[in-house]
Amino acid sequence: MAKDYYEILGVDRKASNADIKKAYRKLARKYHPDLNPGDKAAETKFKEIQEAYSVLSNPKKRSQYDQFGFAGDMPPGGQYQRQGYSGTPGFEGFDFSSFGSSPFQDLFENIFGASARGQPQTQIRKGEDLHYTMKVGFFDAVNGVQTRIRLNRMVSCPSCKGKGYTQTGSQQVCPVCKGSGRTSMQRGFMKFASTCPSCGGTGRSTGTACHACHGNGAVQKSELISIRIPAGVNTGSKVRIQGKGNDGRNGGPPGDLFITIEVDSHPLFKREGAHIYIKVPITVPEATLGSKIEVPTLYGKTKIKIPPGTRSGQKFRIRGKGVPLTGRPVKGDQFVEVTIVPPPFEDERIRELMRELDKVSPQNPRKNLDA
């Protein structure tokens, strides 16, 4: 069955080339495999988007598709074959440099900052962001904590000032690209070729490879940094530390550090968002006659009123005893679920009282269960 490429890109059949390109860029950014690691559905969608744009962006193929429902050697329901793209999962061996001036170039230039047209990469570029996962104790997540972590990041080589080579009087083979004028970059399972940032694609430079960074222009640096985890974070929360990613290129600003939080569980308290839940046992007399009981909260013990006739599983709310909302002076609530605990049956006196209670209160709590 032929695919509806217009539907895949979400455009009308009369859409202009500009509208098609705009829709493609938006969808490709959303479903790109590097932005959705491990998501097979996103990977499949990304392939469909590429296939649709390859046809609709080409006037000849679009015309053929509009007339016959497919373009080139692609039959209805078949896979699109083009210069290294086999349509198979994983994009193995996929080299975007083979596309020349293909419509895919603009997207990857915008996403990765790499030139696919052989232009010198002398533009200022922001450094890559770094991602770090941190486990935080239950109460540290509730109250916030100041802590330190050891971070490895790439910084501009101090020996060559990020150039990758040291200056000499005569031209030599570029130490970064080894004279090819091109460098490759691996992003997940995809490989991108681009103009060498050191020599601008000429393959020659007036320098020798820097002994400190071996021509890379950057060296790894280990830092012990202090970070503040705000009160109220939860599993999945992200904390941004500005400027603690990798250094930028050609004087560009550094990237940022993003810390993803994982919060430990607690033996008594269960957290759902900003609310706290706890189960507290009560006795039969407390449930029957009513009472005031002491219950633990995140902020110490407090008393709540148990009304006469309380049933097992009944919940009571304590306002403002939950988790702070991050960045706001507001807290969630705590919910106390009571469970009625029977008295010890080993005591003969208690057993006698229970028999007497059974006589004076011959109730049948299961009467509504009769079929």
Side-chain angles (χ1 to χ4, degrees), residues 7-10 23-50 91 107-108 111-112 189-190:
E7 183 178 342
I8 290 173
L9 295 182
Y24 166 70
R25 288 189 180 212
K26 181 179 179 181
L27 292 171
R29 287 177 183 271
K30 179 178 179 181
Y31 292 103
H32 193 281
D34 276 356
L35 305 180
N36 301 273
D39 189 338
K40 295 297 182 182
E43 182 179 316
T44 300
K45 183 70 174 176
F46 183 67
K47 293 179 187 179
E48 289 183 345
I49 294 164
Q50 286 186 309
F91 296 89
L107 172 71
F108 292 108
I111 293 178
F112 300 110
F189 46 72
M190 292 196 297

Side-chain angles (χ1 to χ4, degrees), residues 71-334:
D73 298 327
M74 183 182 59
Q79 292 181 320
Y80 183 67
Q81 305 288 331
R82 174 173 181 165
Q83 286 181 286
Y85 175 42
S86 61
T88 57
F91 296 89
E92 288 80 7
F94 194 66
D95 187 346
F96 280 93
S97 64
S98 63
F99 281 95
S101 58
S102 75
F104 300 113
Q105 285 178 324
D106 295 335
L107 172 71
F108 292 108
E109 286 177 23
N110 290 340
I111 293 178
F112 300 110
S115 171
R117 292 179 181 159
Q119 296 174 345
Q121 286 188 293
T122 56
Q123 73 271 28
I124 293 174
R125 285 192 292 157
K126 183 175 183 277
E128 291 181 333
D129 295 330
L130 296 179
H131 298 269
Y132 186 97
T133 299
M134 172 185 287
K135 280 204 169 188
V136 176
F138 186 86
F139 280 101
D140 284 340
V142 171
N143 302 315
V145 65
Q146 186 83 27
T147 186
R148 295 191 299 174
I149 63 171
R150 176 69 62 181
L151 176 69
N152 292 324
R153 52 189 293 261
M154 300 302 292
V155 299
S156 182
C157 176
S159 296
C160 64
K161 303 293 188 284
K163 295 178 181 178
Y165 61 91
T166 55
Q167 198 77 24
T168 61
S170 58
Q171 281 201 346
Q172 301 180 24
V173 174
C174 175
V176 177
C177 67
K178 312 302 181 188
S180 67
R182 308 283 283 175
T183 57
S184 62
M185 173 176 59
Q186 193 79 26
R187 291 279 183 156
F189 46 72
M190 292 196 297
K191 181 181 179 183
F192 299 86
S194 60
T195 302
C196 175
S198 178
C199 65
T202 64
R204 310 289 293 178
S205 69
T206 56
T208 58
C210 173
H211 69 281
C213 65
H214 306 290
N216 293 320
V219 293
Q220 189 178 80
K221 181 181 180 182
S222 180
E223 292 184 46
L224 189 63
I225 65 171
S226 180
I227 60 173
R228 173 69 185 172
I229 304 299
V233 296
N234 204 350
T235 294
S237 297
K238 283 184 169 56
V239 177
R240 177 190 176 197
I241 312 297
Q242 191 170 5
K244 285 300 179 181
N246 289 336
D247 275 357
R249 298 297 298 269
N250 300 313
D256 299 325
L257 170 64
F258 290 90
I259 300 175
T260 301
I261 302 297
E262 289 184 5
V263 179
D264 289 336
S265 59
H266 192 275
L268 290 180
F269 300 113
K270 180 184 177 183
R271 179 179 173 182
E272 292 184 10
H275 297 316
I276 292 293
Y277 296 81
I278 187 174
K279 291 185 177 181
V280 175
I282 60 173
T283 66
V284 172
E286 287 172 336
T288 304
L289 304 176
S291 177
K292 279 191 175 181
I293 66 170
E294 198 173 59
V295 298
T297 74
L298 300 178
Y299 312 98
K301 292 186 176 181
T302 190
K303 286 189 175 182
I304 63 171
K305 183 179 180 181
I306 304 297
T310 293
R311 298 173 180 271
S312 192
Q314 198 165 329
K315 289 186 176 70
F316 299 91
R317 175 185 291 198
I318 310 176
R319 295 188 181 276
K321 293 295 184 180
V323 180
L325 295 177
T326 304
R328 296 172 57 188
V330 180
K331 294 178 181 177
D333 301 326
Q334 176 168 314

Side-chain angles (χ1 to χ4, degrees), residues 324-358:
L325 295 177
T326 304
R328 296 172 57 188
V330 180
K331 294 178 181 177
D333 301 326
Q334 176 168 314
F335 294 87
V336 178
E337 180 182 342
V338 297
T339 57
I340 299 175
V341 178
F345 65 90
E346 299 89 351
D347 190 302
E348 183 56 36
R349 175 59 178 157
I350 292 178
R351 292 162 65 89
E352 184 181 332
L353 290 173
M354 290 295 103
R355 284 192 286 267
E356 191 167 331
L357 177 62
D358 189 46

